[in-house]
Amino acid sequence: MFKYYSKYAPYLFLLPAAVVLVIFFFIPFFQTFLLSFLDYSTNIYKPEFIGLENYIKLLHNPIFYKVLWNTFIYLFVAVPILAIFPLFLAVLINQKIRGVTLYKILIYLPVIVSIVVAAIAFKWLYADQGILNYAVTSLGFSSIGWLTDPNYALYSVIVTIWKGIGYYMIIYLAALMSVPNELYEACDIDGASFLTKHLTVTIPHIMPTIALVTTISAISAMKVFAEIYVMTKGGPLNSSKTIVYYIYERAFENLDLGFASAMAVVLLIIVMLFSLINIFCFERNKYEI
């Protein structure tokens, strides 16, 4: 009897996670996929089946390419910062220094702050009469439209990634605990510098964690929404509009659910491709047969 239950025990432990995935991922995904073949633009109560027309319209929509490019800019700026800077902080805090717990708390503190609150605070800082423009004009320069100039709006929003630095730092700190101290001691005996020691020992050992952080931060960057909604509403002239915000705009403001669903499917494919690229770049040897 015990052998019978032990045979199926792993599946029983996996069952709750599988139920959550089915309810909150697979069912919504298939519903979204089906909605992408319907046209809600004329009558939201009686949608018309139009096949692949939403996808064809998407490929001929210049705004889609604009928001996709904005999303990639956000991705390529945010991910390297979120993958490298928290690692640098984790290595420093992992040293034997006084007050290390206080430093951990102070760096992690922004993580528990709501992104809406952080976005509102930055919006005040970026205001025409805000602190940043006060500092700029005090230096003799003209004020800058941080959120109203198309050249600055998107990059001003990217600054909100400081919220995630503490979160990824904690992940790196957990990974650093698995690195054997004997390897660091061997480096010290060989006279290796601080930088060489971590390039040859730390980074190779925590490469799977670096892949994890890169993947998570890339997915987060691809679906950024709240800070865009609070700070710029996608403006000016679509300069800070990302693909998730455009999906929200077409679905809930224009009520074009079919077109928005087609964009959501395309976004899922792009996110999956980036995830696979990250896995094979950082953990290629792990999956070789």
Side-chain angles (χ1 to χ4, degrees), residues 56-101:
I56 296 172
K57 184 168 67 172
L58 185 65
L59 294 176
H60 292 85
N61 187 342
I63 299 179
F64 170 72
Y65 292 104
K66 174 65 176 176
V67 300
L68 190 62
W69 176 245
N70 290 340
T71 305
F72 285 148
I73 291 176
Y74 195 102
L75 173 75
F76 292 133
V77 174
V79 172
I81 296 174
L82 292 175
I84 297 172
F85 189 61
L87 176 58
F88 174 74
L89 290 177
V91 169
L92 291 181
I93 290 181
N94 198 44
Q95 310 301 312
K96 295 180 180 179
I97 56 177
R98 295 180 60 183
V100 64
T101 304

Side-chain angles (χ1 to χ4, degrees), residues 64-238:
F64 170 72
Y65 292 104
K66 174 65 176 176
V67 300
L68 190 62
W69 176 245
N70 290 340
T71 305
F72 285 148
I73 291 176
Y74 195 102
L75 173 75
F76 292 133
V77 174
V79 172
I81 296 174
L82 292 175
I84 297 172
F85 189 61
L87 176 58
F88 174 74
L89 290 177
V91 169
L92 291 181
I93 290 181
N94 198 44
Q95 310 301 312
K96 295 180 180 179
I97 56 177
R98 295 180 60 183
V100 64
T101 304
L102 177 61
Y103 292 129
K104 290 179 182 178
I105 293 173
L106 292 176
I107 295 174
Y108 188 80
L109 197 59
V111 178
I112 65 177
V113 177
S114 169
I115 184 61
V116 175
V117 174
I120 292 173
F122 272 101
K123 189 174 182 179
W124 288 343
L125 290 174
Y126 288 133
D128 291 337
Q129 304 298 324
I131 296 175
L132 285 179
N133 272 329
Y134 175 77
V136 170
T137 54
S138 297
L139 295 174
F141 299 100
S142 57
S143 62
I144 299 173
W146 300 102
L147 300 178
T148 56
D149 189 329
N151 297 318
Y152 297 104
L154 180 62
Y155 298 100
S156 299
V157 174
I158 294 177
V159 176
T160 56
I161 63 172
W162 67 278
K163 253 185 58 62
I165 289 175
Y167 173 74
Y168 297 120
M169 183 198 71
I170 295 298
I171 295 177
Y172 281 132
L173 279 173
L176 289 174
M177 295 175 64
S178 66
V179 181
N181 288 325
E182 293 81 4
L183 297 177
Y184 292 129
E185 293 172 358
C187 289
D188 292 333
I189 293 172
D190 292 338
S193 64
F194 179 84
L195 181 61
T196 303
K197 181 168 59 175
H198 289 290
L199 287 176
T200 56
V201 175
T202 304
I203 292 180
H205 273 81
I206 67 168
M207 190 58 72
T209 306
I210 296 175
L212 173 66
V213 170
T214 304
T215 302
I216 295 175
S217 58
I219 293 173
S220 299
M222 291 290 290
K223 61 179 187 178
V224 61
F225 170 77
E227 43 269 65
I228 302 291
Y229 180 81
V230 173
M231 297 175 69
T232 64
K233 300 286 186 182
L237 301 175
N238 299 322

Side-chain angles (χ1 to χ4, degrees), residues 32-49:
T32 303
F33 184 70
L34 293 175
L35 288 177
S36 68
F37 298 108
L38 303 177
D39 180 20
Y40 285 83
S41 60
T42 54
N43 191 335
I44 193 171
Y45 300 105
K46 294 182 180 179
E48 177 186 356
F49 180 81

Side-chain angles (χ1 to χ4, degrees), residues 233-273:
K233 300 286 186 182
L237 301 175
N238 299 322
S239 62
S240 63
K241 186 178 294 183
T242 57
I243 186 168
V244 172
Y245 187 87
Y246 192 40
I247 291 172
Y248 159 81
E249 188 179 68
R250 294 301 296 258
F252 298 103
E253 294 184 5
N254 299 337
L255 298 179
D256 194 355
L257 300 180
F259 187 78
S261 298
M263 276 196 290
V265 172
V266 172
L267 176 62
L268 176 63
I269 295 172
I270 294 172
V271 169
M272 290 177 64
L273 288 175

